Amino acid sequence: MPPAVILPIDPQHPDRRLLVRAGAVIRSGGLVAFPTETVYGLGANAFDDHAIASLYKAKRRDARDPLIVHLASASGLPRVATDIPEALGHLTTRFWPGPLTIVARRHPDVPGRVSANRPTVAVRVPAHPVARGLIEASGVPVVAPSANRFMRSSATRASHVVADLGEVIDLILDGGPTEIGLESTVVATDDDGSVRVLRPGAIPVEAIVVALRDAGIDVPVHVGAVQRVASNDGELSPGLLETHYAPRATLVLVSGAPASSVRLMVQLLHDAIAAGERPGLIVYDEDADSLIDPRMPHRVTISHVGSVASPETIAHNLFASFRDLDAAGVTRIVARTIDAVTTMPGRPPIPGGFGLARAIDDRLIRAAGSRVHLTGSMK
Ligand code: AMP
Ligand code: MG
């Protein structure tokens, strides 16, 4: 097929004619990449089984990894999901439009393929004017997984979409870099009615806890561990797979107190050079002085992603940093988590921390797979 048509579009005040044109492509079964406030999505008509099959094929996405259905407004929810638990219903009124995804019972009109034949479906209403305008113009709910090849880091710039999918999709709406840079927070309910955060993301877990408490909804909120182990059996939530969001280069991650982490990072860089790798470094502003010393070999490619005091900045830059380091030919990337992680024997590390920092560390851990070094020192 011919390469994707790329249409620049104003992210705040999108030209309606462009949205109508892109909406027509979706309605007729095509694939359109577009910016959301989190990352770029690859859109297809959620009611068109054939289009969804072609979306999985384009992304080379594992057929067991379910998609998120995107709506122009919450009023469309009954068309795609039923039996919304009160707690999740409240969270939608509080956080939609925005980067919160709820998982509820799938409406029979939604093809099973959308959710890898689960009885449930994931749904969100994005806040980005281009995303909302496109879904509205399509006249149908739109499935939109991140617009990258499966297992790779999510696309946060149109150029990332072109690099991964430019030859296999119809249209790319280029609305510039996405603002948040990390995916939505995915929430579901357990059988006992408690809320479970399946994927930490752009809406902090703490904000969910506060929203429920303020509404007088008295349910526990669980995060992480149990689900992550379950996900490794291929159930529940494949976005929680241990290796995901990864750069092409091997990511080696350090976790612990900043000072000891930095020391270990320097050591790992030297190891990488000794092993003949082309090393890259992801640097937080706070670490720059101790990490980038004048004796450091020129061969180290450095990517500055911002200050730990501004996790929003790091989130915004993280996936682009992975891709920039890949493009520079780096083969091994060294980085550290923002907060310390907790570990249990035989289980993958679990991010601690608050707010966006937790989501950033979650992505770093998954991108690193099993290559997480704990410094063991909190000094
Ligand atoms: P993506 O759209 O690529 O950011 O990934 C969507 C992720 O949402 C999946 O990988 C799952 O982790 C999660 N998800 C989607 N649908 C469901 C569902 N029905 N049940 C549980 N998790 C889901
Ligand atoms: Mg994805």
Side-chain angles (χ1 to χ4, degrees), residues 91 95 100 185 187 195 197 203-212 221:
L91 292 177
F95 293 110
L100 180 86
T185 302
V187 292
V195 168
V197 177
I203 301 278
V205 175
E206 296 74 23
I208 289 171
V209 171
V210 168
L212 291 171
V221 178

Side-chain angles (χ1 to χ4, degrees), residues 263-275:
R263 281 195 296 274
L264 184 51
M265 287 170 79
V266 171
Q267 168 78 54
L268 289 166
L269 270 183
H270 286 287
D271 292 352
I273 292 165

Side-chain angles (χ1 to χ4, degrees), residues 59 61 146 148 154 183 199 244-245:
K59 280 199 56 154
R61 188 175 175 104
S146 48
N148 51 275
S154 301
E183 301 80 356
R199 175 174 75 182
H244 212 98
Y245 312 111

Side-chain angles (χ1 to χ4, degrees), residues 2-361:
V5 173
I6 303 169
L7 299 176
I9 192 163
D10 184 319
Q12 289 313 316
H13 305 283
D15 182 337
R16 187 129 181 93
R17 284 163 303 181
L18 298 179
L19 296 174
V20 168
R21 177 170 164 191
V25 173
I26 294 225
R27 235 193 351 274
S28 66
L31 303 178
V32 177
F34 59 95
T36 78
E37 69 274 31
T38 58
V39 301
Y40 271 78
L42 179 60
N45 179 352
F47 289 143
D48 181 343
D49 190 53
H50 192 259
I52 296 156
S54 74
L55 186 154
Y56 273 94
K57 188 158 170 253
K59 280 199 56 154
R60 301 197 200 140
R61 188 175 175 104
D62 187 323
R64 292 165 302 180
D65 192 358
L67 305 171
I68 297 172
V69 175
H70 291 65
L71 305 172
S73 85
S75 62
L77 185 57
R79 283 180 80 191
V80 296
T82 65
D83 307 296
I84 313 292
E86 187 202 5
L88 297 190
H90 178 72
L91 292 177
T92 66
T93 46
R94 172 69 184 76
F95 293 110
W96 282 358
L100 180 86
T101 297
I102 64 158
V103 175
R105 181 156 289 279
R106 177 163 50 87
H107 190 289
D109 288 352
V110 176
R113 201 191 296 272
V114 165
S115 57
N117 283 316
R118 288 146 206 260
T120 54
V121 65
V123 190
R124 117 172 161 93
V125 176
H128 196 294
V130 172
R132 299 187 75 183
L134 170 64
I135 300 164
E136 216 159 58
S138 309
V140 290
V142 172
V143 288
S146 48
N148 51 275
R149 280 265 150 93
F150 186 56
M151 301 293 273
R152 303 270 341 266
S153 22
S154 301
T156 57
R157 315 264 191 276
S159 60
H160 302 165
V161 184
V162 175
D164 275 20
L165 303 169
E167 306 297 315
V168 291
I169 66 177
D170 299 289
L171 190 63
I172 298 170
L173 294 176
D174 179 357
T178 60
E179 193 183 325
I180 298 173
L182 290 184
E183 301 80 356
S184 61
T185 302
V186 181
V187 292
T189 46
D190 284 351
D191 288 346
D192 65 4
S194 51
V195 168
R196 186 169 287 280
V197 177
L198 293 175
R199 175 174 75 182
I203 301 278
V205 175
E206 296 74 23
I208 289 171
V209 171
V210 168
L212 291 171
R213 195 188 58 205
D214 288 354
I217 299 171
D218 184 22
V219 295
V221 178
H222 304 296
V223 200
V226 178
Q227 249 39 32
R228 291 192 55 171
V229 173
S231 73
N232 293 340
D233 300 323
E235 290 305 317
L236 276 161
S237 204
L240 306 179
L241 285 173
E242 265 178 63
T243 308
H244 212 98
Y245 312 111
R248 275 187 220 287
T250 304
L251 175 64
V252 182
L253 193 61
V254 175
S255 185
S260 46
S261 293
V262 165
R263 281 195 296 274
L264 184 51
M265 287 170 79
V266 171
Q267 168 78 54
L268 289 166
L269 270 183
H270 286 287
D271 292 352
I273 292 165
E277 301 275 357
R278 296 184 61 181
L281 194 56
I282 294 179
V283 179
Y284 305 138
D285 294 352
E286 286 78 356
D287 301 346
D289 286 345
S290 33
L291 210 45
I292 309 173
D293 85 55
R295 289 159 301 170
M296 190 151 78
H298 297 306
R299 282 166 290 166
V300 180
T301 307
I302 290 164
S303 174
H304 292 274
V305 290
S307 162
V308 171
S310 170
E312 298 75 21
T313 308
I314 296 176
H316 178 81
N317 292 327
L318 185 66
F319 287 137
S321 164
F322 286 177
R323 286 173 180 267
D324 289 347
L325 289 169
D326 277 342
V330 163
T331 59
R332 193 182 292 181
I333 301 172
V334 179
R336 74 167 174 97
T337 59
I338 296 180
D339 271 290
V341 301
T342 34
T343 53
M344 284 180 276
R347 303 229 178 133
I350 298 160
F354 296 96
L356 261 189
R358 190 202 304 257
I360 292 165
D361 284 353

